[in-house]
Amino acid sequence: MPEASRNGTLPASSDALVSSCWYTTSPEHLADELCRLDVRISLAALRRCPAVFAAERPGSGSDEQALLAELGRLDRHIDLQRGNSVERGRFLGLPHLARLFRLSPVEEQLLLACFAPEADARYSRLYGDHEGNLAGRHPTVALLLELLGEDRETRTVARAALRAQSPLFHYRLLQLVEAEAGPSPELLSPLRIDPRIAAFLLEISGIDDRLVPYASLQIPRSQVAPLPGGARSSVDRMTAFVRHHLAAGDASAPVVFHLHGHDTATGRAVVHSVCRELSLDLLNVDMYKLAAAGPAASDLFWLVGREAVLQPAALCLDNFDIWVQDNDQTAAQRDAIFGALRHFSQLTFLLGRVAWQPGRLRKDLLYLPIELPLPDINARRSLWQDQAEARGIRSDLDYGQLASRYRFDAEEISDVLNIAAGMAYWRDPHSGTVTSDDISSACRAQAAPQAGFAAIRRIPRYTWNDLVLPPDHLRQLHELCNQATHRHIVLGEWGFDRRLALGNSLNVMFNGPSGTGKTMAVDVIANDLEVDLYKIDLSQIVSKYIGETEKNLDRVFREAQSSNAIVFFDEADALFGKRSEVKDAHDRYANIETGYLLQKMEEHDGLVILATNLRNNLDEAFLRRMHFVVEFPFPDEVHRSKLWQGLFPDEVPCGVDVDFSYLARHFKVPGGNIRNIAVCAAFLAAADRTEVGMRHLIHAARREYQKLGCPCTATDFGPYYELIKASHG
């Protein structure tokens, strides 16, 4: 920057102007602009107090005409150099700002005068001396008007350029120093250049300091995540569309792509790919963090929009879902966000999970919603394999089964592998070898649903050895698990998913009397598939208010989809009942709920199990949509004997008089009741501090019969009937 001369003399740097035919750098241009400002400051000092000016410069021979001549020479020199630079494509910061924000030459010079104290501290002293130290280091409106000359027309234009609605204040290039100042600057109002604009002119890299907690500038050179097959075509189509649309120039409406869906990782990869193809930088904003700024978010987002212009860069508003909520504060801030998009960004990406329409906010914008489906089975398999191998994780994992069991996107798979690596290191700090058990545990942790999910999480603990059923019924359950396990082959590799009209759901119904093992079978299946089991809490689903049941069901299936869990409806007839003839409004809405549930089951990409002991009460449409219907029969004597023997752990001390064959033959109850009898007998024996004997089992059986409302007859209790009579007496 030029060296300052004191006492209002001509600036020494005016004799050392850039002498080439054009400016090679922006600092060269600013140096000449500041030389011109020095002359204007000298002119203002001379006009304000000619006697003082002459006394301070005795014998110099300089007068107003000399200063005006010098100013004219500088005007011609700068205009020539600047024009030649623009023709050669040289970047000059001040003219660039003028083009971006449509500044007039007068507005450009006003901006430069406010910038000067940021470039060189001597201007703070000069402005302070000129104002009698009233303004400090910043120029007032009155001083700025003086610097532009005595011409009335120029001053009128300058005064208009310093109104609140002018580009200088509309785009927040200048700001009032006093926070409590009114909406428009007054003559004695000191002004300062915005810190980000000053940094831009000084060629300081980086984004606005005020945006650092919320935004980051990204240069998409490489892919952030693998692109599933369908996403590649989306990238090509979006890129071609943007090129065609922006070819119309300034007349084209800003483009806003709203990428929504569960697979936000693919969304980010698509955004990066489009920007890379278009050779655009990307200003990524975490809208969740921005929302935490409260009322200040609107002002911050205005700075975000301006930053996108300054870089220049496309905008990506990540985690946008938080801004689609319907409340007064969010609605007002949403208006400010879309207002900034109209002013600044030619290309914006909104990233979220929820589909949304902006309504009136789409005015003057080309708003294009694009759904991002989850990667299909083949894509998920590749994601698992690529990311596991990149981390050096064992290669004998069945990636196909992982893809079938867990509908994770690329980001979630990465999180799972990171969690698994942490578990492995905690278990064995020396080797840290990741095992399939680590992967399974990490998947369950990643798949846990959000708080408030209307379900009860059950930790699977039963195995196939605990399940007592006829051989054909067990084969049916194994076939069910095989379908869930090998979906990646049939649906993915063999292409059956292209033949299915709706979702790739697997719907199962378990039917049978209470206590026959339906819930245990669900537990066994969840354990075998290594997924979580969520028993739906019907009390939180069914509502007397119209439409609420459907909303609750939608949330159940949406959460189940994202958590990759088995959805288990116990006593399903309460929710899946037959549709009836419509006689009143209640019947109509009950039928709507049933129809809605049918639709959600078909669309769901996962395992849904219904359990009922009243099959005839279910709507026939549900039965047609079941892939498996497994009957759980009342156990015969052989199976009851297995149940009795299998219920007692090896640690339980059993007396020699315990006769499981007798119990199975005489007490014709299902497994649930047998379990109750066994547990009750164990507690009775523990209270007696002795081993479990027949007397404990007979007493427990009597209590179970009483609970069921069944008489205790000699036929059932046989030779032990005397024990019943004795305890009764």
Side-chain angles (χ1 to χ4, degrees):
M1 295 302 168
E3 181 65 24
S5 60
R6 294 188 177 269
N7 301 323
T9 58
L10 289 174
S13 55
S14 65
D15 298 324
L17 300 176
V18 176
S19 58
S20 62
C21 296
W22 61 85
Y23 295 116
T24 57
T25 65
S26 184
E28 288 179 1
H29 170 241
L30 286 176
D32 281 359
E33 288 285 1
L34 291 174
C35 284
R36 179 158 59 180
L37 178 62
D38 289 341
V39 175
R40 286 186 170 138
I41 292 173
S42 295
L43 270 170
L46 174 62
R47 288 165 176 165
R48 174 174 286 196
C49 192
V52 174
F53 184 85
E56 291 177 344
R57 301 180 62 255
S60 67
S62 296
D63 56 16
E64 183 173 353
Q65 293 304 315
L67 289 172
L68 287 172
E70 177 66 13
L71 185 60
R73 184 173 76 86
L74 283 168
D75 288 342
R76 292 188 297 274
H77 171 81
I78 292 173
D79 289 346
L80 176 64
Q81 298 277 100
R82 177 169 163 168
N84 291 338
S85 300
V86 171
E87 286 181 4
R88 286 164 174 76
R90 300 289 184 182
F91 174 81
L92 302 180
L94 187 60
H96 184 73
L97 283 176
R99 286 193 300 273
L100 286 180
F101 302 111
R102 298 179 175 86
L103 302 181
S104 68
V106 169
E107 289 167 336
E108 189 178 333
Q109 290 305 304
L110 291 170
L111 182 67
L112 177 77
C114 293
F115 163 72
E118 303 295 332
D120 194 328
R122 71 186 178 90
Y123 290 100
S124 297
R125 297 191 298 271
L126 288 173
Y127 291 160
D129 291 343
H130 197 79
E131 294 283 357
N133 293 319
L134 295 177
R137 62 188 297 256
H138 302 291
T140 62
V141 170
L143 175 57
L144 291 173
L145 296 178
E146 281 190 63
L147 294 179
L148 289 181
E150 294 184 316
D151 179 75
R152 172 170 293 201
E153 183 178 350
T154 302
R155 287 203 173 197
T156 300
V157 172
R159 194 70 181 93
L162 292 173
R163 301 299 293 171
Q165 65 270 27
S166 70
L168 289 173
F169 287 95
H170 179 69
Y171 294 112
R172 306 183 189 183
L173 309 181
L174 297 183
Q175 55 190 232
L176 296 168
V177 173
E178 290 97 346
E180 67 276 4
S184 294
E186 303 298 334
L187 281 176
L188 296 181
S189 300
L191 304 178
R192 62 174 299 172
I193 192 170
D194 182 83
R196 175 65 182 100
I197 303 303
F200 180 86
L201 291 174
L202 291 171
E203 297 189 335
I204 298 173
S205 60
I207 66 172
D208 194 321
D209 290 343
R210 291 162 289 189
L211 300 179
V212 170
Y214 317 101
S216 62
L217 184 66
Q218 301 171 1
I219 304 175
R221 294 195 179 98
S222 60
Q223 192 63 50
V224 296
L227 279 173
R232 182 69 256 175
S233 61
S234 296
V235 168
D236 294 339
R237 183 176 179 185
M238 293 167 68
T239 303
F241 177 85
V242 171
R243 282 178 175 150
H244 171 78
H245 181 72
L246 296 185
D250 292 341
S252 61
V255 177
V256 178
F257 288 114
H258 184 189
L259 282 66
H260 61 89
H262 180 75
D263 191 4
T264 53
T266 295
R268 294 185 185 98
V270 166
V271 171
H272 275 249
S273 296
V274 171
C275 290
R276 188 174 65 250
E277 295 292 331
L278 296 172
S279 300
L280 284 174
D281 290 349
L282 183 66
L283 184 61
N284 191 79
V285 185
D286 189 332
M287 298 300 283
Y288 183 83
K289 292 181 179 178
L290 192 67
S298 299
D299 288 336
L300 286 169
F301 195 82
W302 188 267
L303 299 181
V304 165
R306 192 184 67 181
E307 188 66 35
V309 172
L310 291 173
Q311 285 302 333
L315 265 180
C316 179
L317 311 186
D318 205 350
N319 297 318
F320 190 73
D321 290 347
I322 194 169
W323 291 92
V324 303
Q325 302 172 11
D326 290 326
N327 58 65
D328 293 341
Q329 180 176 336
T330 302
Q333 292 179 329
R334 213 163 41 220
D335 285 351
I337 289 172
F338 275 78
L341 294 183
R342 291 187 198 93
H343 271 94
F344 296 115
S345 180
Q346 282 296 102
L347 178 59
T348 302
F349 302 90
L350 312 182
L351 271 181
R353 294 174 180 256
V354 180
W356 176 71
Q357 287 295 334
R360 62 178 178 79
L361 294 177
R362 68 167 58 242
K363 182 182 179 182
D364 299 327
L365 295 172
L366 189 56
Y367 179 86
L368 301 169
I370 299 175
E371 184 175 4
L372 297 171
L374 274 170
D376 59 21
I377 291 179
N378 287 333
R380 293 200 298 270
R381 184 185 186 282
S382 298
L383 289 171
W384 275 108
Q385 184 169 355
D386 292 345
Q387 295 208 30
E389 290 178 352
R391 288 170 169 78
I393 294 176
R394 49 184 290 180
S395 59
D396 59 339
L397 292 169
D398 192 330
Y399 301 113
Q401 286 193 15
L402 288 171
S404 295
R405 291 174 179 173
Y406 303 105
R407 293 173 295 280
F408 291 149
D409 59 32
E411 189 174 50
E412 290 170 326
I413 290 172
S414 176
D415 290 342
V416 165
L417 294 175
N418 290 336
I419 294 171
M423 291 177 172
Y425 182 68
W426 168 253
R427 188 188 65 256
D428 185 0
H430 299 289
S431 67
T433 302
V434 177
T435 66
S436 58
D437 288 340
D438 295 324
I439 298 289
S440 178
S441 298
C443 284
R444 291 184 179 183
Q446 177 68 26
Q450 298 176 3
F453 185 41
I456 302 169
R457 183 184 182 189
R458 294 174 59 95
I459 306 299
R461 53 193 178 93
Y462 292 113
T463 65
W464 292 106
N465 293 331
D466 298 311
L467 200 56
V468 178
L469 286 173
D472 187 59
H473 294 69
L474 283 173
R475 279 195 295 272
Q476 241 185 322
L477 296 178
H478 279 288
E479 290 168 10
L480 187 163
C481 290
N482 287 337
Q483 283 205 20
T485 300
H486 298 105
R487 287 156 61 88
H488 65 288
I489 297 175
V490 176
L491 300 180
E493 296 177 14
W494 295 355
F496 263 86
D497 59 334
R498 298 192 299 272
R499 297 290 187 267
L500 302 178
L502 293 173
N504 302 325
S505 58
L506 181 56
N507 300 324
V508 181
M509 187 177 78
F510 291 168
N511 177 55
S514 297
T516 52
K518 299 186 294 296
T519 302
M520 178 183 285
V522 178
D523 193 290
V524 170
I525 291 168
N527 204 354
D528 184 78
L529 297 178
E530 298 180 350
V531 296
D532 278 341
L533 167 62
Y534 287 95
K535 182 179 178 182
I536 303 305
D537 184 356
L538 294 182
S539 67
Q540 295 190 44
I541 297 297
V542 180
S543 173
K544 65 180 180 180
Y545 297 105
I546 294 173
E548 285 300 312
T549 300
E550 290 91 328
K551 289 182 181 178
N552 294 336
L553 285 171
D554 179 72
R555 184 179 181 194
V556 163
F557 281 99
R558 189 170 64 248
E559 292 283 0
Q561 185 84 358
S562 62
S563 64
N564 303 277
I566 293 177
V567 181
F568 175 42
F569 290 93
D570 199 5
E571 299 182 4
D573 48 283
L575 187 60
F576 295 67
K578 288 184 177 180
R579 284 172 286 189
S580 60
E581 180 183 354
V582 177
K583 297 179 180 179
D584 55 27
H586 180 273
D587 293 335
R588 181 168 64 254
Y589 285 112
N591 289 347
I592 289 174
E593 290 174 359
T594 303
Y596 183 79
L597 191 50
L598 286 168
Q599 172 192 334
K600 298 306 292 185
M601 286 181 62
E602 284 189 332
E603 294 175 352
H604 182 61
D605 185 10
L607 180 54
V608 179
I609 300 179
L610 318 180
T612 180
N613 53 7
L614 298 170
R615 172 176 173 173
N616 292 336
N617 287 356
L618 287 178
D619 191 280
E620 288 299 318
F622 285 104
L623 298 179
R624 290 196 302 272
R625 287 164 171 79
M626 293 298 119
H627 299 89
F628 288 89
V629 177
V630 183
E631 298 288 342
F632 284 73
F634 194 94
D636 57 19
E637 182 179 339
V638 174
H639 289 97
R640 289 198 299 273
S641 180
K642 290 181 179 179
L643 287 168
W644 277 110
Q645 295 176 42
L647 269 170
F648 286 90
D650 294 337
E651 295 85 354
V652 176
C654 289
V656 295
D657 64 332
V658 172
D659 188 348
F660 290 128
S661 297
Y662 178 87
L663 295 169
R665 185 168 56 256
H666 284 269
F667 297 118
K668 299 176 182 179
V669 291
N673 300 108
I674 293 174
R675 179 197 61 214
N676 292 343
I677 294 171
V679 172
C680 181
F683 276 108
L684 291 171
D688 290 344
R689 298 187 178 276
T690 184
E691 59 190 13
V692 177
M694 281 298 287
R695 63 189 180 89
H696 301 114
L697 289 164
I698 293 299
H699 185 76
R702 176 191 171 219
R703 292 300 185 209
E704 191 69 14
Y705 268 48
Q706 287 177 328
K707 184 176 70 176
L708 296 173
C710 298
C712 299
T713 65
T715 303
D716 292 326
F717 287 85
Y720 300 101
Y721 186 64
E722 293 300 322
L723 289 176
I724 296 295
K725 291 173 62 178
S727 62
H728 183 69

